[in-house]
Amino acid sequence: MPSHRGIDFYHIEELLTDEERLVRDTVRRFVRDRVLPTIDDHFEAGTFPADLVPEMAELGLLGANLPERYGCAGMNNVAYGLIMQELEAGDSGLRSFASVQGALVMHPIFAYGSEEQKQRWIPRLARGEAIGCFGLTEPDHGSDPGGMETRARASGGAWVLNGTKRWITNGSIADIAIVWARDDSGDVQGFIVERGMPGFTASDIRKKLSLRASVTSDLILDDVEVPESNRLPEGRGLRSPLGCLDQARYGIAWGGIGAAMACYDCVVDYALGRTQFGKPIASFQLVQEKLAHILTEITKGQLLAWRLGKLKDDGRLHFTQTSLAKRNNVRVGLEAARLARDLMGANGITLEYPVFRHLVNMESVYTYEGTDHMHTLILGEAITGIPAYR
Amino acid sequence: MSPGAAASGRDTLMKVIVCLRPVPDPASRLFVNEDRTWIKDAELSFVTNEADTHACEAALELCERVSASRSEAGEVVVLSIGRDRAARVLREGLAMGAARAIHLADDDFEGGDEYVRARMIARAVEKDGGADVLLTGVQSDDLGGGVTGVMAAELLGWAHASVVVGVNAVEAGLRARRELEGGLIETLELATPCVLTIQLGINQPRYATLRGIMAAKKKEMKTWSRGDLGMAAGDVGSEGALCQVTEVRVPERDHRVQMLSGSPAEAAARLVEKLRLEAKVI
């Protein structure tokens, strides 16, 4: 399966620094060499390519936008976004792994943790020696995390956690879980729950038809005693986990474009090579219209993602802007995959080509890290001042 | 200290200069330009010539082995010709682990052929105080001439070996294994300084890690113009070239089917003969 060529209809390349291009090219090459040769088999078998974790760590892809003093690469946010774009061009499962590890585990420890917690965990997570997961969503609370039922009860200088978290990427392979729970006073707090703590178990969600090359689990917390030293001291309130999600959504805004690029590249080659009625199907107007549409949407999405990155680097990013980009660019990825599948006919449904894998992956990405509906309503509130979801 | 180092008065044990050529990404869709003299390359993305990445890896490994065995530092210097594209492949070389870079950049360098580039490389090597080894890829992905490194050796007056598939430092210089026709391998020893052109696929080029990319920002990159190289305008670019590309064409596709008759054994024997003698693929 060849690597995608990269799409640059608007010379967006010129907006990138040499370092940003080099980061992108490195990850693109890694995906071509190490991910694409086996990802369809992993997807079919429903297995996560765990052997790639040390390699991703060695390249510096985990928590790449966190500071060098914690063993991270210290890249800017555009470079970080390009990493997510290229990983997702490989497979959303791999990008999800990197997003969770970096944005939902390393980031909250960096943003809300004590210095001791940062020193203890972030370098290990960057080296891939520890894997993390993020427990916010519950079986009965997805878009409404404020209704969470997981409780943290103070008990003799420690905390006792009870509850269930669902749809947790990396859950059963994680060494630590960042678990969000409501304390006795009703405040949401974050805890580092370690594998092996009595009462803490994870079980995988089976029969998924999407993100099959990614681990998705339930976390069960049954009277899990967590020491005070594992509570994130600066992470009080629902604003904290939502801040983490904003980090992850930022990466997804780039990822959606990566998936779209991979589908576009595949379908252009296919349309040029597939002959019907004595000529390439690329010569038919209905086909060209779809190709033109995908290219247009990718180009718009690239500009959104790049501008979002610059705003983030400037410290001016507002979460509503992330919502707009996540919502738009995942739609771009999903639509590109659907149109590509359509143009490829029956061939589009097999794992011989990446488009159907991307299509079903993007169905999950459309929903997670804030559903399409929720991002729509966030924008609705930004426009009108009226929160339609309350 | 190696002979090359002794001659130049350097105190490093092994200095290797690697030439990196920016070429259009081989995955690009290519179209011939309006006057049919080259491809339309203005909008293409450029990458390091594949064989040159193997040369860079070979240089880094050679210096690492020498450093480990003799406890003296080796130095890999990357060199490229051209404007921004060349600077980019040099940054990749620095991010892979090269110590510093030499960028030959001048408007007068546009155009030119392998001979011109070999002259510029030779001048740059001399200006940088020489080296123990100069490495190039065996050939470029775009032009495929396979002669730049060998011509540079002649101009420098250095020994050379082409199509090298393995290299090690020995007391007298380097021991290189080179590929001959028919799968034969020749092993030879070369006194340094020397030039090797490196075959594709002889190693696994390391990735430019993110830490390497950040570190590369702090490494030295010298930029030399035509004047810095002491070359006249007529020596470089298309004026200095011995060869000019007059026309580029897309190969015409020709599908010819031959049915081989006879028993399966006879047909197979004739197929092997055709593959060997006509198609020359086995």
Side-chain angles (χ1 to χ4, degrees):
Chain A
M1 199 180 293
S3 162
H4 76 95
R5 296 175 177 88
I7 290 147
D8 194 19
F9 202 69
Y10 261 41
H11 308 315
I12 293 162
E13 186 93 1
E14 294 169 9
L15 302 175
L16 305 178
T17 66
D18 284 348
E19 285 74 34
E20 289 161 359
R21 294 182 197 197
L22 199 44
V23 168
R24 180 204 55 198
D25 292 348
T26 289
V27 184
R28 189 173 292 174
R29 189 175 139 216
F30 166 75
V31 167
R32 181 196 66 194
D33 295 346
R34 304 292 298 137
V35 179
L36 294 181
T38 59
I39 194 64
D40 48 351
D41 290 336
H42 278 292
F43 186 94
E44 188 167 31
T47 52
F48 172 66
D51 56 319
L52 297 179
V53 173
E55 296 179 41
M56 292 167 70
E58 174 63 27
L59 283 176
L61 306 187
L62 306 179
N65 55 350
L66 294 176
E68 291 169 276
R69 68 178 182 278
Y70 295 118
C72 302
M75 306 304 296
N76 67 23
N77 286 294
V78 171
Y80 173 82
L82 289 163
I83 294 168
M84 297 298 136
Q85 170 187 293
E86 294 304 318
L87 288 177
E88 193 125 15
D91 190 84
S92 300
L94 212 61
R95 202 271 307 138
S96 296
F97 170 82
S99 279
V100 169
Q101 183 87 347
L104 297 182
V105 179
M106 296 166 75
H107 169 78
I109 295 173
F110 173 71
Y112 312 125
S114 66
E115 189 56 35
E116 185 190 350
Q117 289 168 343
K118 294 177 198 179
Q119 297 286 354
R120 181 180 176 200
W121 288 110
I122 296 178
R124 288 182 62 193
L125 290 157
R127 291 195 298 267
E129 293 166 5
I131 290 174
C133 68
F134 178 86
L136 177 65
T137 298
E138 298 183 355
D140 295 325
H141 302 282
S143 293
D144 175 24
M148 75 170 61
E149 295 173 34
T150 301
R151 289 288 178 267
R153 177 167 46 85
S155 172
W159 297 83
V160 177
L161 270 59
N162 278 286
T164 303
K165 299 293 183 180
R166 180 156 291 172
W167 304 115
I168 308 304
T169 299
N170 300 348
S172 67
I173 59 170
D175 299 287
I176 59 169
I178 305 296
V179 171
W180 300 92
R182 209 175 274 289
D183 65 18
D184 294 335
S185 62
D187 284 343
V188 170
Q189 297 214 57
F191 299 88
I192 302 172
V193 180
E194 299 176 40
R195 181 205 288 267
M197 285 182 165
F200 177 46
T201 53
S203 59
D204 285 343
I205 295 171
R206 305 285 178 192
K207 300 187 178 181
K208 284 186 301 173
L209 293 174
S210 172
L211 293 178
R212 289 183 53 75
S214 172
V215 173
T216 314
S217 316
D218 281 347
L219 304 182
I220 314 293
L221 300 136
D222 182 11
D223 279 337
V224 181
E225 187 174 307
V226 179
E228 166 64 15
S229 58
N230 278 30
R231 183 178 65 87
L232 298 175
E234 310 298 329
R236 195 177 289 267
L238 199 56
R239 185 176 293 272
S240 301
L242 295 182
C244 300
L245 292 177
D246 206 44
Q247 296 290 319
R249 288 165 185 165
Y250 169 77
I252 293 170
W254 288 83
I257 296 303
M261 284 176 162
C263 293
Y264 173 81
D265 219 39
C266 177
V267 73
V268 169
D269 274 353
Y270 184 90
L272 287 167
R274 171 78 171 173
T275 300
Q276 293 288 282
F277 303 101
K279 53 185 179 181
I281 63 169
S283 54
F284 294 106
Q285 292 180 3
L286 285 173
V287 174
Q288 291 190 1
E289 189 275 334
K290 288 183 171 67
L291 298 179
H293 181 72
I294 301 172
L295 174 65
T296 305
E297 293 306 312
I298 287 172
T299 302
K300 285 150 65 176
Q302 284 177 307
L303 289 166
L304 273 186
W306 176 82
R307 181 63 186 151
L308 197 71
K310 299 306 278 187
L311 288 171
K312 191 167 169 61
D313 278 337
D314 290 348
R316 295 194 289 143
L317 182 63
H318 192 267
F319 71 89
T320 53
Q321 294 165 322
T322 312
S323 283
L324 189 151
K326 190 272 184 184
R327 176 178 180 270
N328 184 78
N329 288 5
V330 174
R331 286 181 174 206
V332 171
L334 188 54
E335 188 185 29
R338 284 176 178 161
L339 291 173
R341 209 296 303 156
D342 179 12
L343 295 181
M344 295 174 69
N347 287 310
I349 70 163
T350 74
L351 281 171
E352 292 297 309
Y353 298 95
V355 299
F356 204 80
R357 180 166 51 78
H358 283 302
L359 196 165
V360 292
N361 282 342
M362 293 310 287
E363 290 287 356
S364 290
V365 182
Y366 188 71
T367 288
Y368 75 21
E369 309 290 350
T371 63
D372 182 82
H373 279 178
M374 289 310 298
H375 288 299
T376 306
L377 297 182
I378 287 168
L379 293 173
E381 183 182 3
I383 298 163
T384 65
I386 305 167
Y389 46 85
R390 285 195 192 128
Chain B
M1 190 181 294
S2 68
S8 65
R10 280 182 285 105
D11 55 5
T12 51
L13 178 75
M14 172 78 71
K15 174 182 171 187
V16 185
I17 299 182
V18 188
C19 299
L20 304 178
R21 176 170 167 78
V23 295
D25 187 335
S28 309
R29 296 186 185 92
L30 303 179
F31 300 95
V32 175
N33 67 10
E34 305 298 335
D35 53 4
R36 301 168 67 86
T37 54
W38 192 229
I39 54 172
K40 292 179 184 171
D41 64 3
E43 312 302 338
L44 298 178
S45 66
F46 278 67
V47 298
T48 308
N49 182 50
E50 188 179 358
D52 299 351
T53 65
H54 290 284
C56 192
E57 178 63 33
L60 292 166
E61 288 178 7
L62 184 62
C63 279
E64 285 163 359
R65 281 200 299 271
V66 168
S67 299
S69 65
R70 301 187 200 168
S71 312
E72 290 182 62
E75 182 187 40
V76 175
V77 181
V78 285
L79 182 154
S80 189
I81 303 170
R83 308 292 287 186
D84 295 349
R85 293 165 183 166
R88 265 177 232 126
V89 302
L90 288 173
R91 288 210 177 83
E92 185 173 8
L94 292 172
M96 284 175 73
R100 57 190 178 86
I102 299 170
H103 181 199
L104 307 185
D106 196 311
D107 289 341
D108 291 348
F109 294 162
E110 293 301 311
D113 62 358
E114 290 91 340
Y115 171 67
V116 165
R117 283 187 282 277
R119 290 186 71 182
M120 293 165 65
I121 290 166
R123 282 294 180 94
V125 170
E126 285 166 350
K127 182 174 168 62
D128 198 54
D132 294 295
V133 191
L134 174 68
L135 295 186
T136 70
V138 68
Q139 62 184 28
S140 62
D141 293 333
D142 52 356
L143 293 168
V147 293
T148 307
V150 177
M151 284 199 280
E154 178 65 23
L155 293 164
L156 287 162
W158 294 4
H160 77 267
S162 56
V163 204
V164 168
V165 294
V167 56
N168 268 308
V170 293
E171 197 56 40
L174 292 183
R175 178 175 296 141
R177 295 164 63 242
R178 58 185 297 266
E179 208 170 75
L180 303 178
E181 290 289 322
L184 295 174
I185 299 290
E186 178 185 54
T187 302
L188 44 94
E189 289 192 2
L190 299 93
T192 53
C194 63
V195 178
L196 307 180
T197 74
I198 301 294
Q199 174 64 301
L200 284 167
I202 72 161
N203 50 35
Q204 178 66 42
R206 66 196 68 186
Y207 294 105
T209 66
L210 270 55
R211 278 177 283 277
I213 291 168
M214 295 299 274
K217 291 165 78 170
K218 301 182 185 106
K219 292 180 179 176
E220 178 191 46
M221 188 184 298
K222 289 177 187 164
T223 303
W224 288 340
S225 65
R226 177 176 62 75
D228 292 326
L229 293 179
M231 297 177 80
D235 292 339
V236 296
S238 49
E239 277 192 63
L242 299 180
C243 298
Q244 303 285 349
V245 177
T246 54
E247 188 183 0
V248 172
R249 278 185 294 153
V250 177
E252 287 176 16
R253 289 191 180 185
D254 184 14
H255 299 281
R256 275 180 294 182
V257 177
Q258 292 182 37
M259 300 301 293
L260 301 177
S261 55
S263 70
E266 289 167 352
R270 289 183 58 204
L271 176 62
V272 169
E273 186 181 309
K274 283 178 173 294
L275 290 174
R276 182 173 291 152
L277 299 178
E278 294 179 23
K280 296 186 175 164
V281 293
I282 59 172

